[in-house]
Amino acid sequence: MSDRCVLILLALVLSVVQVLGHLFQGPTKEVLERTYDVIIVGAGAGGGAAASRLSENPHVRVLLIEAGGSDFMNLNISVPGRASTLVRSQFDWNFTTVPQVGLDNRPIVYPRGFVLGGSTAINQMAFCRGTKDDYDRWAKVAGDEGWSWKKLVPFVRQLDRMTLPADRHNTTGEFDPSIHYNGTVPISVAGFPLTTDPRVINTTTQLPDQFPFNLDYNSGNTIGIGWTQTTIYNSHRVSSATSYLAEAWNRTNLDIVVNTRVTKVLPLGYESGKPIMRGIEIAQSASGPTHTLQARKEVVLSAGSIKTPHILMLSGIGDAAYLTSKGVKPLVDLPSVGKNLHDHAFLGNSWLVNSNDTLDNLRRNATLAAEALAQWKVNGTGPLGLAGGSQLGWLRVPNASEFFAALGAEDPSAGPTSAHFEMITTDGFVSKRVSPPTQGHFFSFITAVISPTARGNVTLNSTDPFDAPIINPNLLGTEVDVAVMREAVKAARAFVAAPAWSDYILSEFGAFGEAHTDEELDAYIRNNTDTIDHPVGTVAMGKGAEGALDSELRVRGTIGLRVVDASAFPFIPSGHTQGPTYILAERAAALILGEM
Ligand SMILES: Cc1cc2nc3c(=O)[nH]c(=O)nc-3n(C[C@H](O)[C@H](O)[C@H](O)COP(=O)(O)OP(=O)(O)OC[C@H]3O[C@@H](n4cnc5c(N)ncnc54)[C@H](O)[C@@H]3O)c2cc1C
Ligand SMILES: *[C@@H]1O[C@H](CO)[C@@H](O)[C@H](O)[C@H]1NC(C)=O
Ligand SMILES: *[C@@H]1O[C@H](CO)[C@@H](O)[C@H](O)[C@H]1NC(C)=O
Ligand SMILES: *[C@@H]1O[C@H](CO)[C@@H](O)[C@H](O)[C@H]1NC(C)=O
Ligand SMILES: *[C@@H]1O[C@H](CO)[C@@H](O)[C@H](O)[C@H]1NC(C)=O
Ligand SMILES: *[C@@H]1O[C@H](CO)[C@@H](O)[C@H](O)[C@H]1NC(C)=O
Ligand SMILES: *[C@@H]1O[C@H](CO)[C@@H](O)[C@H](O)[C@H]1NC(C)=O
Ligand SMILES: *[C@@H]1O[C@H](CO)[C@@H](O)[C@H](O)[C@H]1NC(C)=O
Ligand SMILES: *[C@@H]1O[C@H](CO)[C@@H](O)[C@H](O)[C@H]1NC(C)=O
Ligand SMILES: *[C@@H]1O[C@H](CO)[C@@H](O)[C@H](O)[C@H]1NC(C)=O
Ligand SMILES: *[C@@H]1O[C@H](CO)[C@@H](O)[C@H](O)[C@H]1NC(C)=O
Ligand SMILES: *[C@@H]1O[C@H](CO)[C@@H](O)[C@H](O)[C@H]1NC(C)=O
Ligand SMILES: *[C@@H]1O[C@H](CO)[C@@H](O)[C@H](O)[C@H]1NC(C)=O
């Protein structure tokens, strides 16, 4: 080969290396020397979806930086029935809250995903879009019709697609096919029948006034009982990494760097008196070297509801007086950063049942668990393809206006399509407070306060970015929220009193069975409630000074900085939060691309 040929070949190889999108295990020289239009911080629901949509435009060069690793196909992540092993694992940030006043001053474990996929790689996989009233409330609070349910429909269409469950059963009557399109995230209903399934569905015909059947809670109206839709495809968990990022994986204009934390956003100068926040500082460990990077167009924070406000505060963006008191030099006085933290409270309520065939067996019998795993590996069937419960319900307290007026409060829900509480069926024992009993078989309802009124905050413990922030979700922090949980427990009792359960339910188990009066119920609730892991709202969009973000998710008082994750929600949707985070990211990507 002539020298000239070698040179051309070398040039070709180099140019390919330069443009090929890549996964980097750390901030290599290549990454540090490249120029990106958009740098996204955090590869969870918001960051994964945004990176994928932005890089659909080949002219936009995107860098996605993730603190955790790249092992998003780990067996414990992929197998839906193994989700509980992920809390306090290598895929978790291992946060703990401060003592929760509403929970008898107990601190609680506060999991957050630490891997490509973020919390979508460790969550319980329930898939919800949210309701018409939830988004219409966002539109009102943000002063932007673009957040209304009607205007979001095109983004919802891009989000999910319904797929066959593992056992390939006929799913007619389990969802409404006319409202599911050909989106990026494959979902499915349960692919393993449980003996409790017909009892749950029969209850909706036996007690239709209190527990109406809802064919598809993702229609924009959640109210009623129906089949759970989950981010499970071919019996594997679907995360933002296996869906959005997998679609973008080989694009030459997307680089992904893992094992790397963004410690600060940095100002590069000023424009009309506002800092241009297109710089970031990164590090791999508290003692290791730091590097800086600059985005040409913008930096997008998608580090989630705990870490996004943390990074902003460490960068001097927050309540100026508070930051000064903590030894951080204020850059932009934005008092709402870190405030408005809210979440859904979770309570497991269990009954002993007249059966030996419940999922409790899987936890107790290692042989059975090994057989189930082997079966899952063969064709995905069996109990390990399930994400806990197969049905759930979204309900409003009866006579809502009187109920809340009696408590001196307004109805906290967004409107009639939004619930006050949720009930999730589980074919076995459930509690985050009491260890699973070694004897007995159970049916449980997880009850959850779904339109909470309590608000907490995220604050600084120190100025070390590798130190966790102080987290206070203020669960059950108001009497209203406790009263709603009480109604939820009463509804769960009414549900299993239907004829469909007469030969199945034996007795209420543990402290639940001792709680009869409202006072006893409140004591039981406060002693056993925990989180359903849906923190939101800490850098919320809103009108004027009240919003940390404007309605297009730009951090107020700055240039070139946006937030695209669940921290941007002004109110928590009355559903689980991964779907709404994806929807927010879909619109955010369109807004960003519209400015390119
Ligand atoms: C245990 C659990 C169960 C849940 N169950 C459900 C459920 O069943 N259904 C549902 O809809 N929702 C559920 N959720 C909630 C849902 O997963 C989240 O609401 C959603 O993932 C939020 O998306 P996000 O983009 O805001 O944050 P995340 O998905 O948490 O993503 C944030 C990402 O940023 C990374 N990051 C943070 N800080 C930095 C930094 N400094 N530098 C670089 N990267 C950083 C994190 O490692 C993470 O990957 C659950 C969550 C958990 C934890
Ligand atoms: C899965 O979780 C179990 C239980 O926590 C643990 O023993 C095992 O090592 C994990 N497997 C993988 C592949 O990480
Ligand atoms: C969380 O704890 C697990 C188990 O101790 C550990 O392996 C993991 O590294 C911790 N996560 C982080 C982000 O430090
Ligand atoms: C999956 O495999 C199991 C066990 O090998 C078998 O009983 C079952 O029929 C298979 N199911 C499907 C849908 O292929
Ligand atoms: C599924 O069930 C419905 C209603 O029971 C029936 O109309 C339909 O033909 C079935 N589909 C298949 C593929 O069997
Ligand atoms: C669904 O979308 C995929 C990729 O986005 C495309 O390849 C496929 O043709 C679409 N299918 C239908 C039925 O529209
Ligand atoms: C990326 O490209 C490689 C090489 O062509 C291929 O093997 C791989 O399957 C692709 N990955 C995805 C997620 O498309
Ligand atoms: C459960 O198993 C026990 C012990 O084998 C047996 O006595 C009992 O009848 C079984 N109960 C049911 C409901 O199958
Ligand atoms: C555990 O499961 C195995 C396999 O299904 C079964 O043979 C065995 O009887 C079970 N053990 C107990 C104690 O139930
Ligand atoms: C955070 O909330 C706690 C408890 O309500 C309160 O005492 C504290 O002042 C708040 N901190 C900030 C900075 O808002
Ligand atoms: C705050 O830092 C102190 C000192 O390092 C530590 O003891 C404490 O546990 C931290 N608090 C939280 C909530 O992380
Ligand atoms: C549920 O209702 C159907 C239809 O009325 C009936 O055939 C079935 O036996 C009921 N199942 C249970 C467990 O109540
Ligand atoms: C709270 O629950 C724990 C765990 O079940 C129990 O040990 C304790 O006695 C309960 N406390 C009260 C006051 O009921």
Side-chain angles (χ1 to χ4, degrees), residues 492-519:
R493 280 181 164 153
F495 195 95
V496 302
W501 302 89
S502 60
D503 60 344
Y504 193 71
I505 294 287
L506 297 175
S507 60
E508 292 173 353
F509 180 77
F512 178 34
E514 313 290 307
H516 302 292
T517 65
D518 281 0
E519 273 123 56

PDB file of all heavy atoms in Angstrom, residues 492-519:
ATOM      1  N   ALA A 492     -60.257  -0.030  51.201  1.00  0.00           N
ATOM      2  CA  ALA A 492     -59.661  -1.361  51.011  1.00  0.00           C
ATOM      3  C   ALA A 492     -60.463  -2.404  51.782  1.00  0.00           C
ATOM      4  O   ALA A 492     -60.730  -3.507  51.281  1.00  0.00           O
ATOM      5  CB  ALA A 492     -58.201  -1.344  51.467  1.00  0.00           C
ATOM      6  N   ARG A 493     -60.891  -2.035  52.991  1.00  0.00           N
ATOM      7  CA  ARG A 493     -61.717  -2.965  53.790  1.00  0.00           C
ATOM      8  C   ARG A 493     -63.046  -3.227  53.094  1.00  0.00           C
ATOM      9  O   ARG A 493     -63.528  -4.365  53.057  1.00  0.00           O
ATOM     10  CB  ARG A 493     -61.975  -2.347  55.169  1.00  0.00           C
ATOM     11  CG  ARG A 493     -60.805  -2.527  56.093  1.00  0.00           C
ATOM     12  CD  ARG A 493     -61.079  -1.920  57.468  1.00  0.00           C
ATOM     13  NE  ARG A 493     -60.091  -2.453  58.408  1.00  0.00           N
ATOM     14  CZ  ARG A 493     -59.691  -1.817  59.501  1.00  0.00           C
ATOM     15  NH1 ARG A 493     -60.194  -0.636  59.823  1.00  0.00           N
ATOM     16  NH2 ARG A 493     -58.780  -2.358  60.288  1.00  0.00           N
ATOM     17  N   ALA A 494     -63.655  -2.162  52.555  1.00  0.00           N
ATOM     18  CA  ALA A 494     -64.946  -2.324  51.879  1.00  0.00           C
ATOM     19  C   ALA A 494     -64.792  -3.222  50.647  1.00  0.00           C
ATOM     20  O   ALA A 494     -65.673  -4.032  50.338  1.00  0.00           O
ATOM     21  CB  ALA A 494     -65.487  -0.954  51.469  1.00  0.00           C
ATOM     22  N   PHE A 495     -63.655  -3.097  49.978  1.00  0.00           N
ATOM     23  CA  PHE A 495     -63.415  -3.872  48.759  1.00  0.00           C
ATOM     24  C   PHE A 495     -63.444  -5.378  49.054  1.00  0.00           C
ATOM     25  O   PHE A 495     -64.142  -6.141  48.382  1.00  0.00           O
ATOM     26  CB  PHE A 495     -62.064  -3.472  48.158  1.00  0.00           C
ATOM     27  CG  PHE A 495     -61.855  -3.911  46.741  1.00  0.00           C
ATOM     28  CD1 PHE A 495     -62.147  -3.049  45.685  1.00  0.00           C
ATOM     29  CD2 PHE A 495     -61.357  -5.168  46.433  1.00  0.00           C
ATOM     30  CE1 PHE A 495     -61.953  -3.438  44.365  1.00  0.00           C
ATOM     31  CE2 PHE A 495     -61.152  -5.568  45.124  1.00  0.00           C
ATOM     32  CZ  PHE A 495     -61.451  -4.692  44.085  1.00  0.00           C
ATOM     33  N   VAL A 496     -62.692  -5.797  50.061  1.00  0.00           N
ATOM     34  CA  VAL A 496     -62.618  -7.249  50.333  1.00  0.00           C
ATOM     35  C   VAL A 496     -63.839  -7.755  51.095  1.00  0.00           C
ATOM     36  O   VAL A 496     -63.950  -8.950  51.360  1.00  0.00           O
ATOM     37  CB  VAL A 496     -61.307  -7.643  51.066  1.00  0.00           C
ATOM     38  CG1 VAL A 496     -60.102  -7.239  50.249  1.00  0.00           C
ATOM     39  CG2 VAL A 496     -61.256  -7.068  52.467  1.00  0.00           C
ATOM     40  N   ALA A 497     -64.773  -6.859  51.452  1.00  0.00           N
ATOM     41  CA  ALA A 497     -66.037  -7.300  52.052  1.00  0.00           C
ATOM     42  C   ALA A 497     -67.042  -7.715  50.977  1.00  0.00           C
ATOM     43  O   ALA A 497     -68.125  -8.208  51.293  1.00  0.00           O
ATOM     44  CB  ALA A 497     -66.616  -6.187  52.928  1.00  0.00           C
ATOM     45  N   ALA A 498     -66.686  -7.527  49.703  1.00  0.00           N
ATOM     46  CA  ALA A 498     -67.575  -7.938  48.609  1.00  0.00           C
ATOM     47  C   ALA A 498     -67.694  -9.465  48.589  1.00  0.00           C
ATOM     48  O   ALA A 498     -66.777 -10.171  49.032  1.00  0.00           O
ATOM     49  CB  ALA A 498     -67.021  -7.437  47.277  1.00  0.00           C
ATOM     50  N   PRO A 499     -68.829  -9.988  48.068  1.00  0.00           N
ATOM     51  CA  PRO A 499     -69.024 -11.455  48.030  1.00  0.00           C
ATOM     52  C   PRO A 499     -67.870 -12.200  47.346  1.00  0.00           C
ATOM     53  O   PRO A 499     -67.572 -13.339  47.729  1.00  0.00           O
ATOM     54  CB  PRO A 499     -70.323 -11.617  47.233  1.00  0.00           C
ATOM     55  CG  PRO A 499     -71.055 -10.320  47.403  1.00  0.00           C
ATOM     56  CD  PRO A 499     -70.024  -9.259  47.578  1.00  0.00           C
ATOM     57  N   ALA A 500     -67.226 -11.581  46.386  1.00  0.00           N
ATOM     58  CA  ALA A 500     -66.151 -12.256  45.644  1.00  0.00           C
ATOM     59  C   ALA A 500     -65.031 -12.765  46.559  1.00  0.00           C
ATOM     60  O   ALA A 500     -64.260 -13.642  46.174  1.00  0.00           O
ATOM     61  CB  ALA A 500     -65.578 -11.309  44.596  1.00  0.00           C
ATOM     62  N   TRP A 501     -64.937 -12.227  47.774  1.00  0.00           N
ATOM     63  CA  TRP A 501     -63.833 -12.567  48.669  1.00  0.00           C
ATOM     64  C   TRP A 501     -64.256 -13.450  49.840  1.00  0.00           C
ATOM     65  O   TRP A 501     -63.423 -13.795  50.688  1.00  0.00           O
ATOM     66  CB  TRP A 501     -63.198 -11.278  49.218  1.00  0.00           C
ATOM     67  CG  TRP A 501     -62.703 -10.387  48.120  1.00  0.00           C
ATOM     68  CD1 TRP A 501     -63.423  -9.417  47.469  1.00  0.00           C
ATOM     69  CD2 TRP A 501     -61.415 -10.407  47.514  1.00  0.00           C
ATOM     70  NE1 TRP A 501     -62.654  -8.822  46.504  1.00  0.00           N
ATOM     71  CE2 TRP A 501     -61.404  -9.405  46.510  1.00  0.00           C
ATOM     72  CE3 TRP A 501     -60.251 -11.161  47.722  1.00  0.00           C
ATOM     73  CZ2 TRP A 501     -60.296  -9.158  45.707  1.00  0.00           C
ATOM     74  CZ3 TRP A 501     -59.146 -10.912  46.939  1.00  0.00           C
ATOM     75  CH2 TRP A 501     -59.176  -9.928  45.939  1.00  0.00           C
ATOM     76  N   SER A 502     -65.564 -13.806  49.892  1.00  0.00           N
ATOM     77  CA  SER A 502     -66.084 -14.410  51.132  1.00  0.00           C
ATOM     78  C   SER A 502     -65.401 -15.735  51.482  1.00  0.00           C
ATOM     79  O   SER A 502     -65.230 -16.051  52.650  1.00  0.00           O
ATOM     80  CB  SER A 502     -67.599 -14.584  51.027  1.00  0.00           C
ATOM     81  OG  SER A 502     -67.882 -15.421  49.930  1.00  0.00           O
ATOM     82  N   ASP A 503     -65.006 -16.505  50.468  1.00  0.00           N
ATOM     83  CA  ASP A 503     -64.339 -17.777  50.780  1.00  0.00           C
ATOM     84  C   ASP A 503     -62.807 -17.645  50.726  1.00  0.00           C
ATOM     85  O   ASP A 503     -62.101 -18.661  50.694  1.00  0.00           O
ATOM     86  CB  ASP A 503     -64.806 -18.866  49.803  1.00  0.00           C
ATOM     87  CG  ASP A 503     -64.489 -18.516  48.354  1.00  0.00           C
ATOM     88  OD1 ASP A 503     -64.200 -17.318  48.075  1.00  0.00           O
ATOM     89  OD2 ASP A 503     -64.532 -19.416  47.500  1.00  0.00           O
ATOM     90  N   TYR A 504     -62.313 -16.414  50.689  1.00  0.00           N
ATOM     91  CA  TYR A 504     -60.867 -16.239  50.494  1.00  0.00           C
ATOM     92  C   TYR A 504     -60.205 -15.487  51.657  1.00  0.00           C
ATOM     93  O   TYR A 504     -59.225 -15.957  52.228  1.00  0.00           O
ATOM     94  CB  TYR A 504     -60.623 -15.485  49.183  1.00  0.00           C
ATOM     95  CG  TYR A 504     -59.186 -15.523  48.715  1.00  0.00           C
ATOM     96  CD1 TYR A 504     -58.630 -16.695  48.213  1.00  0.00           C
ATOM     97  CD2 TYR A 504     -58.377 -14.390  48.780  1.00  0.00           C
ATOM     98  CE1 TYR A 504     -57.313 -16.741  47.792  1.00  0.00           C
ATOM     99  CE2 TYR A 504     -57.056 -14.429  48.353  1.00  0.00           C
ATOM    100  CZ  TYR A 504     -56.529 -15.602  47.854  1.00  0.00           C
ATOM    101  OH  TYR A 504     -55.231 -15.651  47.437  1.00  0.00           O
ATOM    102  N   ILE A 505     -60.775 -14.342  52.007  1.00  0.00           N
ATOM    103  CA  ILE A 505     -60.180 -13.522  53.073  1.00  0.00           C
ATOM    104  C   ILE A 505     -60.467 -14.173  54.432  1.00  0.00           C
ATOM    105  O   ILE A 505     -61.617 -14.502  54.742  1.00  0.00           O
ATOM    106  CB  ILE A 505     -60.776 -12.090  53.039  1.00  0.00           C
ATOM    107  CG1 ILE A 505     -60.363 -11.372  51.753  1.00  0.00           C
ATOM    108  CG2 ILE A 505     -60.400 -11.296  54.282  1.00  0.00           C
ATOM    109  CD1 ILE A 505     -58.929 -10.928  51.678  1.00  0.00           C
ATOM    110  N   LEU A 506     -59.423 -14.371  55.247  1.00  0.00           N
ATOM    111  CA  LEU A 506     -59.617 -14.946  56.577  1.00  0.00           C
ATOM    112  C   LEU A 506     -59.673 -13.850  57.641  1.00  0.00           C
ATOM    113  O   LEU A 506     -60.637 -13.731  58.364  1.00  0.00           O
ATOM    114  CB  LEU A 506     -58.499 -15.948  56.909  1.00  0.00           C
ATOM    115  CG  LEU A 506     -58.402 -17.180  56.011  1.00  0.00           C
ATOM    116  CD1 LEU A 506     -57.186 -18.026  56.368  1.00  0.00           C
ATOM    117  CD2 LEU A 506     -59.679 -18.014  56.132  1.00  0.00           C
ATOM    118  N   SER A 507     -58.596 -13.021  57.708  1.00  0.00           N
ATOM    119  CA  SER A 507     -58.583 -11.971  58.737  1.00  0.00           C
ATOM    120  C   SER A 507     -57.544 -10.925  58.401  1.00  0.00           C
ATOM    121  O   SER A 507     -56.591 -11.186  57.668  1.00  0.00           O
ATOM    122  CB  SER A 507     -58.259 -12.579  60.100  1.00  0.00           C
ATOM    123  OG  SER A 507     -56.983 -13.199  60.046  1.00  0.00           O
ATOM    124  N   GLU A 508     -57.734  -9.738  58.970  1.00  0.00           N
ATOM    125  CA  GLU A 508     -56.725  -8.680  58.824  1.00  0.00           C
ATOM    126  C   GLU A 508     -55.506  -9.072  59.637  1.00  0.00           C
ATOM    127  O   GLU A 508     -55.627  -9.668  60.708  1.00  0.00           O
ATOM    128  CB  GLU A 508     -57.312  -7.356  59.328  1.00  0.00           C
ATOM    129  CG  GLU A 508     -58.427  -6.864  58.426  1.00  0.00           C
ATOM    130  CD  GLU A 508     -59.144  -5.649  59.003  1.00  0.00           C
ATOM    131  OE1 GLU A 508     -58.864  -5.263  60.156  1.00  0.00           O
ATOM    132  OE2 GLU A 508     -59.990  -5.093  58.277  1.00  0.00           O
ATOM    133  N   PHE A 509     -54.344  -8.730  59.123  1.00  0.00           N
ATOM    134  CA  PHE A 509     -53.115  -9.201  59.752  1.00  0.00           C
ATOM    135  C   PHE A 509     -52.412  -8.083  60.536  1.00  0.00           C
ATOM    136  O   PHE A 509     -52.317  -6.949  60.072  1.00  0.00           O
ATOM    137  CB  PHE A 509     -52.160  -9.741  58.683  1.00  0.00           C
ATOM    138  CG  PHE A 509     -50.860 -10.252  59.252  1.00  0.00           C
ATOM    139  CD1 PHE A 509     -50.807 -11.493  59.878  1.00  0.00           C
ATOM    140  CD2 PHE A 509     -49.704  -9.486  59.182  1.00  0.00           C
ATOM    141  CE1 PHE A 509     -49.620 -11.963  60.412  1.00  0.00           C
ATOM    142  CE2 PHE A 509     -48.503  -9.957  59.716  1.00  0.00           C
ATOM    143  CZ  PHE A 509     -48.469 -11.200  60.334  1.00  0.00           C
ATOM    144  N   GLY A 510     -51.888  -8.439  61.691  1.00  0.00           N
ATOM    145  CA  GLY A 510     -51.008  -7.548  62.459  1.00  0.00           C
ATOM    146  C   GLY A 510     -51.723  -6.305  62.960  1.00  0.00           C
ATOM    147  O   GLY A 510     -52.919  -6.336  63.272  1.00  0.00           O
ATOM    148  N   ALA A 511     -50.980  -5.181  63.020  1.00  0.00           N
ATOM    149  CA  ALA A 511     -51.511  -3.939  63.587  1.00  0.00           C
ATOM    150  C   ALA A 511     -52.748  -3.455  62.823  1.00  0.00           C
ATOM    151  O   ALA A 511     -53.613  -2.796  63.400  1.00  0.00           O
ATOM    152  CB  ALA A 511     -50.423  -2.863  63.572  1.00  0.00           C
ATOM    153  N   PHE A 512     -52.839  -3.791  61.562  1.00  0.00           N
ATOM    154  CA  PHE A 512     -54.001  -3.435  60.736  1.00  0.00           C
ATOM    155  C   PHE A 512     -55.283  -3.935  61.402  1.00  0.00           C
ATOM    156  O   PHE A 512     -56.273  -3.207  61.530  1.00  0.00           O
ATOM    157  CB  PHE A 512     -53.795  -4.055  59.345  1.00  0.00           C
ATOM    158  CG  PHE A 512     -54.887  -3.864  58.345  1.00  0.00           C
ATOM    159  CD1 PHE A 512     -55.656  -2.710  58.304  1.00  0.00           C
ATOM    160  CD2 PHE A 512     -55.125  -4.862  57.396  1.00  0.00           C
ATOM    161  CE1 PHE A 512     -56.650  -2.548  57.343  1.00  0.00           C
ATOM    162  CE2 PHE A 512     -56.113  -4.703  56.429  1.00  0.00           C
ATOM    163  CZ  PHE A 512     -56.880  -3.545  56.413  1.00  0.00           C
ATOM    164  N   GLY A 513     -55.247  -5.193  61.841  1.00  0.00           N
ATOM    165  CA  GLY A 513     -56.431  -5.810  62.432  1.00  0.00           C
ATOM    166  C   GLY A 513     -56.820  -5.214  63.779  1.00  0.00           C
ATOM    167  O   GLY A 513     -57.941  -5.428  64.263  1.00  0.00           O
ATOM    168  N   GLU A 514     -55.897  -4.485  64.399  1.00  0.00           N
ATOM    169  CA  GLU A 514     -56.178  -3.883  65.716  1.00  0.00           C
ATOM    170  C   GLU A 514     -56.732  -2.468  65.571  1.00  0.00           C
ATOM    171  O   GLU A 514     -57.128  -1.861  66.553  1.00  0.00           O
ATOM    172  CB  GLU A 514     -54.888  -3.796  66.553  1.00  0.00           C
ATOM    173  CG  GLU A 514     -54.056  -5.072  66.579  1.00  0.00           C
ATOM    174  CD  GLU A 514     -54.753  -6.155  67.380  1.00  0.00           C
ATOM    175  OE1 GLU A 514     -55.124  -5.886  68.531  1.00  0.00           O
ATOM    176  OE2 GLU A 514     -54.940  -7.268  66.820  1.00  0.00           O
ATOM    177  N   ALA A 515     -56.674  -1.918  64.344  1.00  0.00           N
ATOM    178  CA  ALA A 515     -57.006  -0.502  64.152  1.00  0.00           C
ATOM    179  C   ALA A 515     -58.450  -0.349  63.695  1.00  0.00           C
ATOM    180  O   ALA A 515     -58.777  -0.654  62.538  1.00  0.00           O
ATOM    181  CB  ALA A 515     -56.058   0.105  63.130  1.00  0.00           C
ATOM    182  N   HIS A 516     -59.333   0.112  64.606  1.00  0.00           N
ATOM    183  CA  HIS A 516     -60.760   0.222  64.265  1.00  0.00           C
ATOM    184  C   HIS A 516     -61.268   1.654  64.319  1.00  0.00           C
ATOM    185  O   HIS A 516     -61.827   2.139  63.360  1.00  0.00           O
ATOM    186  CB  HIS A 516     -61.570  -0.697  65.175  1.00  0.00           C
ATOM    187  CG  HIS A 516     -61.125  -2.124  65.063  1.00  0.00           C
ATOM    188  ND1 HIS A 516     -61.314  -2.871  63.929  1.00  0.00           N
ATOM    189  CD2 HIS A 516     -60.434  -2.909  65.932  1.00  0.00           C
ATOM    190  CE1 HIS A 516     -60.786  -4.073  64.096  1.00  0.00           C
ATOM    191  NE2 HIS A 516     -60.234  -4.119  65.305  1.00  0.00           N
ATOM    192  N   THR A 517     -61.072   2.325  65.462  1.00  0.00           N
ATOM    193  CA  THR A 517     -61.534   3.715  65.536  1.00  0.00           C
ATOM    194  C   THR A 517     -60.623   4.582  64.662  1.00  0.00           C
ATOM    195  O   THR A 517     -59.521   4.161  64.277  1.00  0.00           O
ATOM    196  CB  THR A 517     -61.438   4.245  66.986  1.00  0.00           C
ATOM    197  OG1 THR A 517     -60.049   4.289  67.355  1.00  0.00           O
ATOM    198  CG2 THR A 517     -62.188   3.336  67.957  1.00  0.00           C
ATOM    199  N   ASP A 518     -61.084   5.805  64.373  1.00  0.00           N
ATOM    200  CA  ASP A 518     -60.248   6.711  63.573  1.00  0.00           C
ATOM    201  C   ASP A 518     -58.907   6.969  64.257  1.00  0.00           C
ATOM    202  O   ASP A 518     -57.871   7.042  63.596  1.00  0.00           O
ATOM    203  CB  ASP A 518     -60.986   8.035  63.322  1.00  0.00           C
ATOM    204  CG  ASP A 518     -62.025   7.894  62.201  1.00  0.00           C
ATOM    205  OD1 ASP A 518     -62.157   6.769  61.648  1.00  0.00           O
ATOM    206  OD2 ASP A 518     -62.686   8.897  61.886  1.00  0.00           O
ATOM    207  N   GLU A 519     -58.932   7.083  65.588  1.00  0.00           N
ATOM    208  CA  GLU A 519     -57.657   7.318  66.285  1.00  0.00           C
ATOM    209  C   GLU A 519     -56.714   6.129  66.142  1.00  0.00           C
ATOM    210  O   GLU A 519     -55.523   6.301  65.917  1.00  0.00           O
ATOM    211  CB  GLU A 519     -57.885   7.568  67.778  1.00  0.00           C
ATOM    212  CG  GLU A 519     -58.155   9.008  68.122  1.00  0.00           C
ATOM    213  CD  GLU A 519     -59.481   9.172  68.859  1.00  0.00           C
ATOM    214  OE1 GLU A 519     -59.642   8.507  69.901  1.00  0.00           O
ATOM    215  OE2 GLU A 519     -60.334   9.919  68.345  1.00  0.00           O
TER     216      GLU A 519
END
